[in-house]
């Protein structure tokens, strides 16, 4: 089974169980997934990104994998995607919020299939933050010894 069939099966089974229990189902599937892409309703990957979603010998049909990803979803369902490391950073910050985090910069590092992470500028409460990175530490440019270099 390739990934779109797997995720589509989860969405189908989950929505049927919810309907049987009288639970209203939002037809937007929110997913935190590997890959280098901007968050939103289109999944447009940077080259070489999210290869772990593929089976051996498979290739993505295009840089925009939204249709591929949602091909086995029930009719009317759509996706909203965020990088998994960015989602972990936001969730960690919100779960462990303390008032002394207010107006600080947070670095989250999440080793996994790659070195994921994020930098967030925090505001006055856990729902007030600005994303500085898209979850890939390699894409963060820092200044070291007067030179701009990748952080990784």
């Amino acid at each position: 089974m390739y990934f779109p069939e797997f995720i589509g099966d989860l969405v189908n089974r989950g929505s049927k169980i919810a309907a049987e229990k009288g639970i209203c189902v939002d037809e937007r599937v929110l997913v935190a997934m590997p890959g280098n892409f901007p968050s939103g309703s289109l999944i447009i990957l940077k080259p070489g990104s999210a290869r772990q979603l593929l089976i051996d010998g498979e290739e993505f049909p295009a840089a925009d994998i939204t249709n591929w990803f949602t091909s086995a979803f029930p009719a009317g369902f759509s996706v909203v995607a965020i990088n998994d490391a960015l989602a972990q950073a936001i969730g960690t910050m919100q779960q462990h919020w303390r008032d002394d985090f207010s107006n600080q910069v947070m670095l989250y590092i999440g080793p996994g299939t790659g070195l994921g992470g994020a930098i967030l500028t925090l505001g006055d409460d856990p729902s007030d933050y600005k994303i500085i990175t898209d979850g890939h530490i390699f894409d963060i440019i820092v200044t070291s010894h007067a030179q701009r270099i990748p952080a990784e």
Side-chain angles (χ1 to χ4, degrees):
M1 176 181 294
Y2 77 122
F3 190 78
E5 291 172 340
F6 170 76
I7 195 79
D9 183 55
L10 291 176
V11 173
N12 276 295
R13 286 189 291 136
S15 60
K16 285 178 185 170
I17 291 168
E20 289 169 2
K21 295 183 179 214
I23 299 170
C24 181
V25 176
D26 186 328
E27 293 181 340
R28 292 171 298 173
V29 177
L30 309 177
V31 62
M33 60 179 268
N36 197 338
F37 57 92
S39 300
S41 58
L42 294 177
I43 308 171
I44 302 173
L45 297 173
K46 289 187 179 177
S49 183
R51 304 288 305 162
Q52 60 271 57
L53 298 180
L54 300 171
I55 57 176
D56 287 340
E58 185 182 16
E59 294 294 327
F60 289 120
D64 181 347
I65 66 163
T66 311
N67 289 335
W68 174 83
F69 191 91
T70 61
S71 62
F73 279 18
F77 278 65
S78 62
V79 67
V80 177
I82 184 173
N83 173 268
D84 55 346
L86 180 55
Q88 292 166 20
I90 293 167
T92 299
M93 176 269 298
Q94 291 179 339
Q95 181 67 31
H96 298 286
W97 181 264
R98 296 190 327 238
D99 286 340
D100 57 343
F101 290 173
S102 293
N103 303 304
Q104 300 292 318
V105 174
M106 175 189 147
L107 168 65
Y108 172 83
I109 298 174
T113 54
L115 182 58
I119 298 177
L120 305 173
T121 300
L122 308 179
D124 294 325
D125 62 66
S127 63
D128 182 17
Y129 59 88
K130 178 182 173 204
I131 299 166
I132 296 175
T133 70
D134 68 357
H136 286 81
I137 290 177
F138 184 80
D139 291 339
I140 302 169
I141 304 298
V142 297
T143 301
S144 176
H145 305 287
Q147 290 187 328
R148 307 268 299 148
I149 59 171
E152 194 172 41

